[in-house]
């Protein structure tokens, strides 16, 4: 781990004391605070206004009971969360995660990251995140619907197009957004498109939103490669996960001339030396909701490695797109040793601090999630723009906007890293440029 500036250290200690046991939140805060020492030298006003202390404390945290009835008529109880972290730049914006591992510390780490990610997009959105410990796996459509309706019956009172606008994340895709939008509409008697993003195309959704996080992450890596006079063309790639982000990362990699040879789910990974057949993965995961191991039922030449470590597969570009802390120090060493030259994070905080250090020390191109995967939320903001103007844009125009946004994020991170004496370090560049933007707005608003 790197060190924290002595002026910032007591703030980090206070975060640890005030948020006991929330280890993912501590990790996300530490990673940002490690970059901020030099900012306080240039901007002493941020210390006077105690901006770092304020930014680490969510504006509002909502925890609620979600009761629902399963198909056997048994009452089930889950816990719902929404952390409205920071609204300096716009309404709270960030996805909902449905996964059994969800607890307050996970939602706070995601909400904290979201503040800076959203600032990097250059669009008017604040940071928030929510979800539940509900596990959609193995549930019927009717059970998922009843859960989503109960979840929204509490959450709706905290939402609004100028207040808080959720979207999807792990376990929340088009089906879940549909059930939640339907319930919001029913309770409020308002057809308020701008209250949720990731909607279906027939009812207020935006083209490219489904693809946006994966496409955006791939665009970001493409920019990092260009700086090094490289491209995706002919590169062997690994993309962990096989959900929304993973699938559209693999799609864009193929369009840019790369070949993905491995992807995964939480049970294992598949390796296909001929390149992953994306149509089959989409059929298995998006249509049939099956497991990635079913890939080898169709392609006998491919291998399924149960409980295996995907990062042992040699590659030139790695794009972790499953979950937090999926690459540790040893995995990172293995990737570098095997010739990996670029890592772009589609997932949020997929690399541990030890892993990040390995990538930075090896000076490979390392794009942290808050910059590399900002394309999803950026396109959500474009969906909000279309909703506000009662308009819908073409695929080509929307993808072009996304590509431009990712280029701008890359440029901002790259130039800020240079300005602060850390050339090529996108972690420093992302943290500092995003923090300054939010901090300046907070100073302007006074003590609120
Ligand atoms: P999905 O639910 O669509 O897919 C998640 C994928 O990751 C699944 O294949 C899942 O496998 C796998 N996975 C989850 N946990 C683990 C684990 N512990 N080990 C191995 N694989 C695992 O989610 P998304 O694709 O939407 O999200 C993936 C990541 O991207 C998350 O970190 C999310 O926060 C981040 N992200 C998503 C955005 C979006 O727009 N959707 C925007 C920005 C970031 P299984 O089916 O076995 O659980």
């Amino acid at each position: 781990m790197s060190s924290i500036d002595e002026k910032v250290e007591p703030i980090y200690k206070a975060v640890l004391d005030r948020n006991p046991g929330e280890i993912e939140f501590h990790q996300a805060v530490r990673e940002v605070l490690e970059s901020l020492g030099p900012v306080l030298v240039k901007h002493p006003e941020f210390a006077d206004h105690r901006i770092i202390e304020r930014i680490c404390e969510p504006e509002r945290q909502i925890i609620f009971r979600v009761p629902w009835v399963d198909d056997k008529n048994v009452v089930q109880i889950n816990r719902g969360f929404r952390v409205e972290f920071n609204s300096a730049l716009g309404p709270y914006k960030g996805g909902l995660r449905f996964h059994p591992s969800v607890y307050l510390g996970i939602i706070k780490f995601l909400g904290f990251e979201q503040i800076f990610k959203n600032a990097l997009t250059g669009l008017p959105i604040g940071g928030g995140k929510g979800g539940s410990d509900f596990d959609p796996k193995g549930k019927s459509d009717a059970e998922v619907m009843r859960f989503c309706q109960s979840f929204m019956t509490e959450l709706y009172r905290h939402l609004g197009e100028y207040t808080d606008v959720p979207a999807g994340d792990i376990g929340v895709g088009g089906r879940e957004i549909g059930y939640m939008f339907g319930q919001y509409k029913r309770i409020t008697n308002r057809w308020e498109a701008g209250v949720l993003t990731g909607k279906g195309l027939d009812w207020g959704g935006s083209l490219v939103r489904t693809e946006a996080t994966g496409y955006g992450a791939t665009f970001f890596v493409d920019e990092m490669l260009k700086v090094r006079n490289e491209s995706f063309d002919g590169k062997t790639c690994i993309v962990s996960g096989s959900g929304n982000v993973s699938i559209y990362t693999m799609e864009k990699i193929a369009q840019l001339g790369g070949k993905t040879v491995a992807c995964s789910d939480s049970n294992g990974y598949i390796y296909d030396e001929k390149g992953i057949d994306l149509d089959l993965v989409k059929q298995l995961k998006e249509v049939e909701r099956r497991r990635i191991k079913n890939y080898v039922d169709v392609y006998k030449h491919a291998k399924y490695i149960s409980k295996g470590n995907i990062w042992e597969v040699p590659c030139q570009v790695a794009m972790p797109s499953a979950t937090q802390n999926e690459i540790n120090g040893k995995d990172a060493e293995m990737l570098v040793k095997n010739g990996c030259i670029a890592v772009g994070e589609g997932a949020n905080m997929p690399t541990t601090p030890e892993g990040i250090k390995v990538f930075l020390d090896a000076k490979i191109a390392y794009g942290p999630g808050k910059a590399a995967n900002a394309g999803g939320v950026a396109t959500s903001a474009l969906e909000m723009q279309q909703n506000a103007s009662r308009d819908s844009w073409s695929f080509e125009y929307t993808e072009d906007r996304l590509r431009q946004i990712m280029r701008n994020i890359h440029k901002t991170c790259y130039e800020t890293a240079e300005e602060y004496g850390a050339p090529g370090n996108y972690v420093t560049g992302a943290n500092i440029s995003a923090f300054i933007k939010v901090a300046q707005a907070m100073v302007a608003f006074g003590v609120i």
Side-chain angles (χ1 to χ4, degrees), residues 97-99 109-110 114 117 129 137 167-173 209-210 212-214 240-247 264-268 285 290-292 320-324 326 345-350 369 373-377 380:
R97 176 176 292 191
F98 293 169
H99 193 272
F109 116 63
L110 290 164
Q114 198 83 44
K117 180 189 311 194
K129 199 85 188 188
K137 262 189 230 129
D169 189 79
I170 291 179
V172 178
R209 176 61 190 92
T210 304
T213 308
S240 61
S242 50
N244 172 266
V245 178
S246 173
I247 286 174
S264 62
D265 61 21
S266 52
N267 298 122
K285 303 302 292 187
R290 291 167 74 199
R291 309 299 298 162
I292 202 63
S321 305
T323 193
Q324 62 277 354
E326 53 172 311
E345 297 185 336
N348 284 308
M349 208 169 74
N373 72 36
V377 74
S380 276

Side-chain angles (χ1 to χ4, degrees), residues 170-191:
I170 291 179
V172 178
R175 172 181 62 169
E176 292 75 17
I177 294 290
Y179 293 144
M180 287 190 274
F181 185 73
Q183 185 73 350
Y184 182 88
K185 184 175 80 60
R186 185 181 193 193
I187 297 175
T188 58
N189 194 28
R190 281 165 65 85
W191 209 102

Side-chain angles (χ1 to χ4, degrees), residues 405-425:
I405 289 167
M406 296 315 296
R407 277 199 187 124
N408 288 343
I409 294 175
H410 175 272
K411 185 165 182 279
T412 303
C413 295
Y414 186 84
E415 289 177 356
T416 307
E418 297 249 311
E419 184 189 336
Y420 280 82
N425 185 331

Side-chain angles (χ1 to χ4, degrees), residues 100-132:
S101 64
V102 163
Y103 76 108
L104 188 59
I106 293 269
I107 300 298
K108 277 163 74 175
F109 116 63
L110 290 164
F112 186 75
E113 290 262 303
Q114 198 83 44
I115 305 170
F116 305 101
K117 180 189 311 194
N118 294 4
L120 285 172
T121 67
L123 297 162
I125 38 180
K129 199 85 188 188
S132 172

